[in-house]
Structure formats: structure tokens, C-alpha cells
Amino acid sequence: MTKLAPHAKLKIGLPPGSVVYVGKKDNRPTRITLIDYDPQNVTEKTITTIEDCVAFKDRKSVTWINVDGLSDTDLIAKLDSLFGVHPLVLEDIVHTDQRPKMEDYGDYIYVVLKMLSCGAKPSEVVSEQLSLVIGSNYVLSFQEEAGDYFDNIRERIRKDKGRVRRMGADYLAHILLDTIIDNYFLVMENFEEDVTSVEDRLMTQKQIGVNEIHRLKRRLVVLRKQIAPVRELVGGLLRADSKLIHKATEVYFRDLYDHIISVMDTIESFRDIVSGLHDIYLTSINLKMNEIMKVLTMISTIFMPLTFIAGIYGMNFDHMPELRWEYGYAAILSIMLAIALLMLFYFKRKKWL
Amino acid sequence: MTKLAPHAKLKIGLPPGSVVYVGKKDNRPTRITLIDYDPQNVTEKTITTIEDCVAFKDRKSVTWINVDGLSDTDLIAKLDSLFGVHPLVLEDIVHTDQRPKMEDYGDYIYVVLKMLSCGAKPSEVVSEQLSLVIGSNYVLSFQEEAGDYFDNIRERIRKDKGRVRRMGADYLAHILLDTIIDNYFLVMENFEEDVTSVEDRLMTQKQIGVNEIHRLKRRLVVLRKQIAPVRELVGGLLRADSKLIHKATEVYFRDLYDHIISVMDTIESFRDIVSGLHDIYLTSINLKMNEIMKVLTMISTIFMPLTFIAGIYGMNFDHMPELRWEYGYAAILSIMLAIALLMLFYFKRKKWL
Amino acid sequence: MTKLAPHAKLKIGLPPGSVVYVGKKDNRPTRITLIDYDPQNVTEKTITTIEDCVAFKDRKSVTWINVDGLSDTDLIAKLDSLFGVHPLVLEDIVHTDQRPKMEDYGDYIYVVLKMLSCGAKPSEVVSEQLSLVIGSNYVLSFQEEAGDYFDNIRERIRKDKGRVRRMGADYLAHILLDTIIDNYFLVMENFEEDVTSVEDRLMTQKQIGVNEIHRLKRRLVVLRKQIAPVRELVGGLLRADSKLIHKATEVYFRDLYDHIISVMDTIESFRDIVSGLHDIYLTSINLKMNEIMKVLTMISTIFMPLTFIAGIYGMNFDHMPELRWEYGYAAILSIMLAIALLMLFYFKRKKWL
Amino acid sequence: MTKLAPHAKLKIGLPPGSVVYVGKKDNRPTRITLIDYDPQNVTEKTITTIEDCVAFKDRKSVTWINVDGLSDTDLIAKLDSLFGVHPLVLEDIVHTDQRPKMEDYGDYIYVVLKMLSCGAKPSEVVSEQLSLVIGSNYVLSFQEEAGDYFDNIRERIRKDKGRVRRMGADYLAHILLDTIIDNYFLVMENFEEDVTSVEDRLMTQKQIGVNEIHRLKRRLVVLRKQIAPVRELVGGLLRADSKLIHKATEVYFRDLYDHIISVMDTIESFRDIVSGLHDIYLTSINLKMNEIMKVLTMISTIFMPLTFIAGIYGMNFDHMPELRWEYGYAAILSIMLAIALLMLFYFKRKKWL
Amino acid sequence: MTKLAPHAKLKIGLPPGSVVYVGKKDNRPTRITLIDYDPQNVTEKTITTIEDCVAFKDRKSVTWINVDGLSDTDLIAKLDSLFGVHPLVLEDIVHTDQRPKMEDYGDYIYVVLKMLSCGAKPSEVVSEQLSLVIGSNYVLSFQEEAGDYFDNIRERIRKDKGRVRRMGADYLAHILLDTIIDNYFLVMENFEEDVTSVEDRLMTQKQIGVNEIHRLKRRLVVLRKQIAPVRELVGGLLRADSKLIHKATEVYFRDLYDHIISVMDTIESFRDIVSGLHDIYLTSINLKMNEIMKVLTMISTIFMPLTFIAGIYGMNFDHMPELRWEYGYAAILSIMLAIALLMLFYFKRKKWL
């Protein structure tokens, strides 16, 4: 189950700005890829030392430096001197329990949020932290693990699809964020399938555990915690009034804002529905109990009087004239049958059968 | 059941502004109708190529171009060059999972929302996306399917009823939106009928499924999701401060705003009531269980002691003087009857009968 | 039960500003009364044609024209030309499902809200729409039915009680609204009586239907829907910054605002309490069920072992020495009694009795 | 139980500004005390006619006039001419169902709120309305009943403790309000004791009525209704920007604001806790029911098969070899014992015992 | 259990600004430590009389005076004259029930909040009040008890780790607050462990008391009450626009603000989850009841008809041909067995077994 409280123990007592990695320790080594492009040319490189990137910093072309794996904290600490990134930002990049946020540092904007994707197992959501440092002509992106999340963007840059090559670093940042939010939609679709499956089984009275509903609720709590601050983040970029975000890309960030509002609407709708599921579940348990009680009551109602009658004629009184009567036995059996049938008829009318 | 999460899979990995249709694939071919009017004349046309519309664009008269069916994405993509509509808008027009919104692009205002109407089956709500591009002297409207939703508006234009011919494109947009919101009222009336029907059956203890209540709740969640953002939309038009919306039509948009607030009030009231219905349902189940328990308890209470007495006189002790007594049998039967009557009297007093 | 969704069917497809009456059709004919007053004189008149009012419009004195009955839509439509009232306002006046609101049209302010009063039957609330058109020296008021709601105001004008004759049309509007809000307090007092009655019966375990609680809830939902927007309305008048509302009357509207906030506070308090009532109800059902279960369990616990013992001595084994013993019967009866008493003692200690 | 809806009936139909007393009718006669002080002197007086106060109005010293008992409405109506207090304020002073509020009338500030104190009976809260008219050099205070609520303030003035004698009328108003809010803390402490008592008894499974929880809830609703608006009131004083509140006392009102926020925080915390109590109560009822069901089921499970076996050997078939067997009786008794022990062992393992 | 309502009784009737200690009485004596530092030098001292500190006040170096133990109110009252601290602040410092807040007094900023830490016993949270008086070149800190909470900060100052020696008093205040908020994360982690433990036991149907869930809820209410106002506090520092907080440290306070928002997010998530736990608990009780009911019903269903049949052949009618039949006994036993098996098969199919 996803942890809700951020990891705290590793950092207690350290000065602010300490670059300490808190993520999974079995990462592959840090891998740096660089794409530099302008409308005419695209350069792609895999880099070994971060210092190689600095050359691209002063060119007019847009440079996208993507860092996979955050365990090499020394490398990341160097960004302070190389790109002038504030130590607090570097601390946040490697502390992978960040709440999504954007911070405008004047020369660059720092954005951190969660990349969500549907995991291999059904109803699993994989969450990874992405940090973006958006400069005037460069974007630094930091992922916890290497993956193919942004491959289609690389493809778009290479083949000059869409308008990515003609626009600046802010537009590159926008399509990175757009890809992440598109994946939020996927995760929500996936979640809806699970909700609908639980709903359907509940409605058709099939067996379902209370745990399943609680797990849906918990997943929604986690999704909400990870996605809700992104609205603020994108809203912050829209209102930032930063020279780094051009007039022409603003409309794209507005579009992004609509998307994230739409995701949040969906999450709120699911909250209502999931909270309703538990009510239905409780009701269905009560209905089943009623069913059992009915059976019990019917059995008692039919057999108690019959057994009582049998008891009467089992008494040993000397003077019980019926016992001597030749047809007494047949008569009493008939009476018993009649009583039983009357009861059944009564239950039928009371709709207990 | 209506999907809550928007369709995401079709769009992942595409650049922003890609015009991809996500709706039902079995649409009839796209049909374009044009109405051009000024206080003197009305011209009506069915158009085959979108280029034919451009001629009307520069006239002083108001032109309303209505597009039914969105599967022909090529046609819609042409609006970029013909009417200068931003690719992101075109993307939204054909992506029929839009959250209702308005966007002011300076030369035109883009509005997208859901047309709701009561379907053929009882308690079915048909939802269709409507996009409006409101220019200075034209309105482009995009519907998923051809229908008679706006026929009375066409009639009003033809016969010059109301003040539609004397006013501009903004007023035309207003009466389109007004018709849609009037239909929201219809849908709410319809919903109220269903709520009242469930309420009445609950109150008169009639059989009712928990599913019915959950379905009401779910329908309300969907309606809320589709209608709530329209308030913001109309509020946006009111505050837009755009040259496209004249002083004289502002009062009509204010009227529209009151209507949508009134719909939202009604939805909130229904939320309270529907959430209360489940409580009543649970209570009524508990009451029924109580009823059954009472029967069971009465049966047990009456027959257990009687059967016990019969059991005593069924014992085979040699020395049981009562057994020899001539009136023993009659006496014991009378005692049993007395006990049973006493019990019944006791239940009567305890109001269990 | 009061309808929550406004009537929609009658208006679909009509142009905005169509004056169509949606209220009860069996109204008495429209009746117009006019009171014209200044500090010196009071003129009272019952008018037959609305044109007769115009003469008073240009006088310096304050004119109050009250229209009872809204079925004569032609008459109301004339106000457009006579008093310059906007068609949208006229449409709202006769469409008696309006949400309470105020609209400032410059030359006049339009106010619409619900007059609530306690009906003839207990716990019935009668709701009627009141529209006010507040001009510089006239007030037009429109009621659905003739009634004695404002008789004390007429009396005050006639006898020059309070400061009404010395002040303008805005003060007249204020005391009309004040009377309405005073009646809201009455309705709330009435509602409290019903809540307290249900509470008292619940607390003393008396029989009460779940329907009663749901009806309280529904009534509160309706009251809230009708009263909540009035806060906004009065707030709007306070902030209106209109030349129609003089400095000197502003303090009275502020007083009005305090009253309506106080009503809303009370409604919110009742929401908490009524929602708590259902919890108590459910609990009391559960307690009753427990009571029944206890009886059942005690009966079973006492008689099952006794019947079993009787059964043993009813067995037909040849060698059962006890059966031959002279005091066997007496002994076994004593043992049974002892067991029964022990059980009762045990229940006493477990507090089941 | 405290009434939630204000008294309305007494005022319907009266013009605004009518000074009508709605409180308890058995008040002692109105008593007026006056304290006039400056850093050098203190004058204390009990006044009989309100006109005697006017002399103090124009002195530089601070004058505090305290009125106990509001039934003498004529006396209070005179304040209009003597101190220039607006009739609406006078109406509010005697109408003891006021919602707490502050109103700035320029020359004076009107403040009305509830004095709460713990009553003689446990868990009783006594509520009394206090009105303050804060002028430049005088404070008028109006209480419903004479009491010793402000005795320590009088003592502080007499003995020149704290800084009260050196500061103005605004500071006097502040310490009056401070005393009231300090008492809110006392009332909350008292409430907490009751909550904790109910919690403790619930936790230790002791008998507790559902009424007790509902009464806690209701008390909290009433406290909330009386205290919540005081936040707004004090906030209003802070933001008032009135010449009556000096720069130097502002810090004291800020302190007051912190206190009232703290009270509100506590109330919100109790709302969460009290609403949780009902859940626990419901659960504990269900647990008790389970306990009873277990006993019933065990009794049935043990005795039903035994009674059945006894029944078999009570049958009268001619050929039942066991009946003839010398040890048949002993054998069957042993078998019965074995069955009973086996059952008990099974229940032990299922943790039902 | 932590008290929710602040201690009120000790302060009723005292003038504002009275320095009265309300905390635990068994404190060790007040201990004052002083650290004075600039980039070059560090001076550490344990002080006995507060007057010794004044010498450091006018130096350019940063002075941190830490006071452990607040029972010596005379000492604290002296700060008024020595450091010019307002009596209201001194009152708040020793009144250890303060709501977290910040107040800007121009020459210094007063900050008060709770230091939370995990206690010795599991799931215990120790809460202590910390007050900070932040001046231009000094920080006064007041703790209730001596502890090692800030030892790592002292170490950082001594060894010149991080940037603490190069920056001013505002940065010192920041790292003090940062340490406190880091501990909030620890407390939340601790809380999560307890929640997860309860969740796990619930999910695996293990025994769990309703008290445990209520205690989680109560702890969360207390944590929320103590932490929620800190957001406002840090936000206040950010917006303070005080000359005491330099441009360069603002980014650190922004970082602090992100942390506290993150804590609050976590608390809100836990509220959702803990409130869900009770629902699951109630459901699991109901499921257990169902289980018991099933057993009861099965026992009854099997043995009632069998006992009835035995009863029939226990009757003493003279003419019961079956009784004379040689194989009657065997036949009836077989029939009984068949009935029992049929029932069991039926239960199997109904999934009751």
C-alpha cells in the first residue's frame, strides 16, 4: 500500500539544502541524455559528466537534459554551480516525497510533480517523481528511473511533428506536463473500470469483500493527494507572469489547466460514488441477514405447533379418548398437514417465500 | 451507465492541437446548414464544402453555421485557415469529452458544453457535446448528431419572432445557450419525478431495490459533473469584457446566469434528499427485520412452554398421580390454553401484535 | 410535497422575455390596489386598468401599486411601455418559480423572493412569489394571490405610524421585505416546534415513523432553497450603490441583512439536528431489536434444557431405575424448577431482565 | 432545551425600530450603575433616572454605565434623545434573541453578544445577552439580569490594577469582551468534561443512553450558534478603522481575536469527536446483539440434537432393540454427554465462549 | 488523553497581560543558555540572571537565548523592560495553551507553536509549547522543559555546518521552525504506522476494539488542532513584509510553507481513511452476526423436522400400524437420515456451509 506520510527519518537534523536521496536504493546508475534542437537541427547525446551540458547552455537552441536515476547526489549537487540552481531545489529534486508545486526563481522555474502510470498488475498505479527546471532556453528533467514515458516527445522533436521545434523551452515544458496529465486520464479510466467492476458485482448480489471497497477508497485518497496540488501548480504557471513563459505558449498552459480541472472533477465524482458503495454493501449484508432470519422463522413457525401437537398425544394420561379412537392417528396427521399448509399459504401471502 | 472518466487512450502521445474524433463512430455524414439573416432578409442553405461559408463571413448580416456530426475531422481542421480558429479549439470540438468551459480568443469566444435531453427510455438522459465559436458576426455551432434541438430557434429567425433578427451574433449565442439550459430544467423535472417515485414507494413500505437509489445517486453525480461547470462558463461570458458581447445583450446573459444558478440549487437540494433516501432504506430493512424477529419470538414464547408441559406428562414415571386423574387431560389442556392466551395478552400489551 | 425543480415544460422553445404565467390556474381575477402618500396626504384606490396608475408616476409622492393575481399576462406585459420595465423582468414576475434575486436596472431595481407563511394545516408552509419593482418614487409589488400579508403596512401608512410617511419608496420596499423576513422567523419557530416534538417522542421511545424525519429533512431542504438566496439578495441591495437607495435607509437594509443571516444560522443549526435525529432513530430500532432478541434468548435458554430433561424421562428404555422410584417425579420436577430459577438468576445478573 | 429559532411572534407587524422587550418577564426592576474614572479619580453611583448620566457624557473621564434588566423599555427608548443612539440599536438591545454582531454608527459602535456561564446544575449553560454602546469616552452596557459577571473589572478600576485607568473607553470595552470570551473557555472546559465522561463510559461498555449523545450534539449546536458570529464581531472591530478604537488598544483586540479563534477551533474539534461518539454507540449496540445471538445459538446447538435423541427413544415402535438392552439407558446418557462436551469444545475453539 | 479545551480557570478575572504560568508544576528550575555567533566566533554561556543577556543585544552578532522552563514568571516578566517585549506576549509565553500564531510587533516578531515528538510509549505524542521572539539580531526561545530538541542546531552553529553562521537571526528562526516541522513528519509517520496496523488487523478479520479506532480519530483531531494553525503562521511570516525577514531567507520560509502544506495534506488524507475504518468495523460486526445466524438457522432447520417425526411416533394412539411393523424403527431412522442429508446438501448449494 502506498505510504501517505512522507519519509521523515532520513532528514531530521540536517541543514536545509542538504541533497539527500530518499528513494529506492536499487536504482540503475544515473543516465543523462541531452537533446538540443532548433527549427533546423537536432543533436542527441548521451552524456557521462554533467559538465558537458554547460556548453549547450549559452546557445540559442533549446536544450533538454533528462536525468534518469537520482542516487548520484554528487552529480546533482553540481547543478548549483553549473546552472545556478538553488540548493533548496536540488534538495527537493532528490527528496522523492515532494508535494507537487511550482516555484519561480526568476532565472528558472522549478516544477515538481508525480508521473502516474498503470502498473503491470491490475489496479496498480506506479508513481514516480518528475522534477523540471525550466530555464530560458533549456529544460532539465529529473526522473527516478529510466523509462519510455517521454519517447513520443523525443520522436516528435526528431521528426518535427506538431510545432515543438519552432517553439521555445516553455513549450517543451508544456508538452512534458501535457504527457503526464494525459496519463492521469489513463489512470482515472483504469480506476473507473475497477469501480464499475465492484459496482456491478454489488448490484448483482455477488460475493465481494469489504476490503475491496476500502482499497478503492484508499487508492482514491492517494490519487487525490498526488493530483490535487497539480491544479495549483498549473494555475501558478498561468499566473506566473514570468519572462520565461511566452505569450504564445500561455494558451497551451490554459489548455493544460482545463485538463487538470477535468481530472479533479472526475476524482470528486468518484469520491461520491465510492462513499456510496459502502452504504450499498452494508445494506446488502442486512438484506442477506433478513433472508436467513426469514428461513429460521418459517421453520420455527411450521414445526413448533406440529411438535407441540405430537407432544400432547405423547402424554400418558389414562383418560385421553382420542387415543382410543380408531381413526385418531389419521385424523391428527391430517390436522397437522392442514396446519402446515395453512402456514405456507400465509407465508406466501406475506411474500416470505 | 455514463462514463465518468474522459476517454484518454486515443490521445496519449499526440501533440497538442491534434484534431482526433473520440465519439461514436456510426455517425451519419457531417451535415452543414447555414442561416444568414439581418432585420430584412433570411437566407438558408445546406452546404457541402465548408469553403462556401467564407463568403458570408465578411457580410454585415449574422451568419449561423451549424455542423452536425464531427467524424469528418479534415473538414473541421480547415476552420483554422478559413476562420482563424486555434488548433487547440478544433481539438476540443471533436474531442467530445470536454469539460464545459468558455475561452476568449479575442476575435472569437469558444464555448463548449453538454446538451442534455430526456431520452426515449424512462429516466434516460441523452448527453451530446455542443461547441460554439462566437465571432463578431457569425456563430459556428458543432453538434455530435443531427437533431431538432434548435428547430424552434430557426423558426424564430425565419418568422422574426422575439428580437433575434434585430440583434447580433452574441444574442444568437445567448438563445442557443438559453435553449440548452431550459432543457436542463426539463432533465431536472424528469429526475425529480424519479426521486419522488422512489420516495413514495419507500414511504409506503413497497418493495424497492438498493440499486435504484444508487442509480439515482450516480445519475446526480453525472448531471452535476456536466452542469456545474456551466455556471462558471456563463459567469465567464458575463465578466468577459469582450467587444463581442454588446452592452444590450449582457442583461440576457445575466438572466442565463440566474437560470443556471437555479439549476445548481436544485441539484444541491437533490443531493441532500437522495443521500437521505439511503438512510430511510436502511431503516426500513431494519424495521422489516424487527417484524420478522417479533414473529419468531412470539412463536417460540407461546409453544416452548406448552411443548415443555406436554413433555412432562409424556414422562414414564410410575408415580405420576395426575395421569391417573379422570379430568387430568382436560385440566392440562385448559392450563395450556390459559398460558397461550396469557401470552397473547402480554404481547398485545407490549404492542408486538 | 413542494416541487424542487422549477416548471420547465411550459417555456421550452419560447424566446426570452415571453410573459407566460406558470402558476395555479384557478386564481381570482387580477386585482390592483394603489396607495399614494406623502407626509401630508394618503390616497387609496382600487384600479381596474393599469393605465390609471401612470398619472401617479410623475408626482413627488410615493406610490405603491400592488397587483394580486398574475394570470392576466396582457396587463403585466403593458408595464414595459408604461413604466419602462424590461421584458425579462416581466417574464420573471409571472414565472412563479424564480430563484430569489435582485437586479439593478438603473431606473428601477427588480427584487423577487418567496413570501412564506404557516398554512392552515399543522407543519404546512405556504409559499408565494413576491416581485418588487422599486423605482425612485414608486414601488410595484406583484403577488400570486390576494391576501392580508401587508395589511399592517397599509395601516401604518394610513395612521402615519413609524416613519414610513416621511421616507421614500426605498423605505417602503424595506418594510415590505422586513415583513417577509419576519415571517421567515415565524416559519422557523413553527419548524422548531415540529423538530422538538419529534425529538421528544424519540427520546421517550414513543412510536415514530421514519417518514416523519424524512419529511422534516425535505421541508428543511425546501426552506433552505427558498431562503438562502435572500441573503445574497439583501446583500446585493446593500452593496448596490444605486441612487434609488438613500443613505438614510441603508442602515435599515443592514438591519434586514442581520435578520436574514440569523434565519440562515437557524437553518444550519436545524440541519445538524435533523441529520442527528435519523441516527437516533436507527439506534432506537436497534435497541428494540436487542430487546426482542433478549426475550427470545431467555425463553430458549430456560425451556430448552427443561424440555430435554422431560424428553429423557419420556424414553421407553426398560431399565430406567429413576422411573420406578416413588419420588422420582417429584425429584425431577424440583430439579427442573431449580434449573429455571438458576437461569433467571443468571439473567438478572447479566442485566437481561 | 435552548430554543434555536428566535422569538418572532411578538414583533410581526411592528415598524422597524420598535423597542419591544422579548425576554423573561419576571425580571427585577431595571438597575443602573455608573462608574466614572480617569487616572486620578473614580466615581461610583447607582442611578435612578437615566437623565442623570448625561452630565458625565461631556467630561473627559471615561464613563461606564451598566444597565441590568431590560424590561423598562421606556427608559431605554430615552437613549435615542440622550445619547443619540439609533432606534434600531435600541430595538436590538431589548430584543434578546440577537445574533452577535458589531455595527459602526460613526459616533458610537454597537456590539451585541451572548455572555455564557456554567449554570448551577451540571452541564447547564446560562446564556444572557450583553449589548455595548461604545462611544468616544463612555461605554453603555446592557445586561438582562443583574449579576457579578463584571465585578472583577469594577475592582480593577477601583484599585487601578492593570492599565485600565490610564486608557480609554475602547480599552474598557475590550476588557468587558475579554471577560466574556474567558468565560467561553470555561464553558468549553465544562463541555469537555461531559464529553470525556460520556467517552469513558462508552469505552468501558457501561450503560449510556443515546439521548446523552444527542444532548451533547444539541448543546454544541447551540454553543456554535452563539459563539461563531463573535469571531466576525471581533474581526469587525479589528478592521473597523474607527476613530473610537485607538492604535494602542488594537493589539488587545488582536489578542481577543486569537482567543475567539481558539474557542472556535475547540468547538470544531468537539464536533468531530461528538459525531464519532454516535458511531461508537451504534457499534456497541451491535456488539451486544452479537453477544446475545451467540448465547442463543449455543443453547440451540447443544440442546436440539440432545432433545432429538431423547425423542427417538421415546418412540413407541415395537421393535427397538436398544430399549430392551440393560445398559441402553446408561449408554444413551453417555452419548448425550459426549455430544454436549464436543459442542462446548467446538465453541471454545471458535472463540464463542 | 490530551485536553482539547485550553485551561481557563486560572486566568478568569485577571487583567490582560498578566504573566501567569498554567503548565505542569513539577518543572525543573528555569535554565537559560545563550549562544552568540558571527561568521568568525561562537560564544556559549549558561546564564543565571536574565540581565546578563542585555549586553549581547546591541552587538552585531546573532544572539540566541534559549529559556527552558517557564515556571519562573518573574524572570519572564523582566523581558518587558529588558527587550521591550509587550506584556501580552509575555502572558502568551507562559500560558502554554496557546493556539499557534505569529504576531508582528514591528521591532520583533512573536511566534508560538507546538513542538511535537514521539513519546516513549508507542503511539504517544509529546506536545510542548515553543515561543520565539525574533528580533533584528537576536532570537529568544522559550520551552516548557529542557530537552535535546535543538542539539543538532547548536552543533551546526558550533561547527559552522550549512550556512547558519553567515546568515542572520531570521535564518536562525527558520531552522528552529524547520526542525519542529520535520518532527511533525516523524509524528505523522508514526501515526501512519498505527493506522496501517489497525487497517491490517481489520482486513484479516482479527479482533480489534472500537476504542482503538476512536482513539486514532481523537489523536488526529488533536494533531489537526495543533498543526493546522501553523500553516497560517508560516504564511503570515511569508507575507509579513517585515524588515526583520530578509529577502535571502524568504525562499527558506517558502520551503517551510511547502512542508507544512504537505503535513496538512497528509492529515486530511488520514481523516478520510480513519473515518472509513469505522465503516469497515461496523460491517465486520454485521458479517460476524450473519455467520452466527447461519449456524443457528442450520441447526434449527435440521433438527426441528427430525424432532417432529420422533414426536409423531411417540404418540400413544392405539391404532398406529407403523409401530407394529417389524422394520418400522429402521425405516424411520433411515428417513430421518435422508432428510438430514438433503438439508445439508441444500445448505451446501445455498453456500451456507
Side-chain angles (χ1 to χ4, degrees), chain D residues 10-26:
Chain D
L10 292 159
K11 300 230 12 195
I12 292 288
L14 290 175
S18 306
V19 181
V20 178
Y21 177 62
V22 303
K24 292 165 242 147
K25 285 294 168 204
D26 54 333

Side-chain angles (χ1 to χ4, degrees), chain E residues 275-298:
Chain E
S275 92
L277 286 181
H278 198 276
D279 288 345
I280 306 185
Y281 186 65
L282 196 61
T283 307
S284 77
I285 291 176
N286 274 313
L287 281 173
K288 256 177 220 156
M289 177 111 76
N290 263 7
E291 211 51 51
I292 297 174
M293 288 304 306
K294 269 193 221 167
V295 173
L296 181 55
T297 309
M298 277 188 296

Side-chain angles (χ1 to χ4, degrees), chain B residues 35 38 59 61 87 191 218 285 313:
Chain B
I35 300 187
D38 57 21
R59 293 200 201 164
S61 56
F191 185 74
R218 213 184 203 286
I285 292 176
Y313 292 101

Side-chain angles (χ1 to χ4, degrees), chain B residues 199 265 272 293 316 318, chain C residues 99 214 271 293 313 324:
Chain B
E199 256 181 334
D265 271 12
D272 275 17
M293 288 303 305
N316 298 320
D318 283 357
Chain C
R99 188 178 184 269
H214 185 66
R271 275 186 105 187
M293 288 304 305
Y313 292 101
R324 307 298 154 234

Side-chain angles (χ1 to χ4, degrees), chain D residues 269-283:
Chain D
S269 298
F270 281 133
R271 274 186 106 188
D272 275 16
I273 286 170
V274 171
S275 93
L277 286 182
H278 197 276
D279 288 346
I280 306 184
Y281 185 66
L282 196 61
T283 307

Side-chain angles (χ1 to χ4, degrees), chain C residues 133-167:
Chain C
V133 175
I134 309 165
S136 57
N137 63 336
Y138 64 90
V139 171
L140 311 181
S141 65
F142 300 85
Q143 291 175 259
E144 291 182 61
E145 285 177 70
D148 51 3
Y149 215 82
F150 295 130
D151 278 358
N152 66 67
I153 296 176
R154 287 190 193 94
E155 201 56 27
R156 256 189 261 166
I157 295 174
R158 283 183 210 121
K159 306 225 169 133
D160 198 7
K161 283 197 290 197
R163 59 188 66 69
V164 57
R165 290 259 288 276
R166 276 162 292 147
M167 299 190 79

Side-chain angles (χ1 to χ4, degrees), chain A residues 36 43 45 54-63 137-138:
Chain A
D36 185 88
T43 318
K45 265 186 152 181
V54 184
F56 293 89
K57 205 188 142 192
D58 300 321
R59 292 199 203 165
K60 281 214 155 164
S61 56
V62 177
T63 313
N137 64 337
Y138 65 90

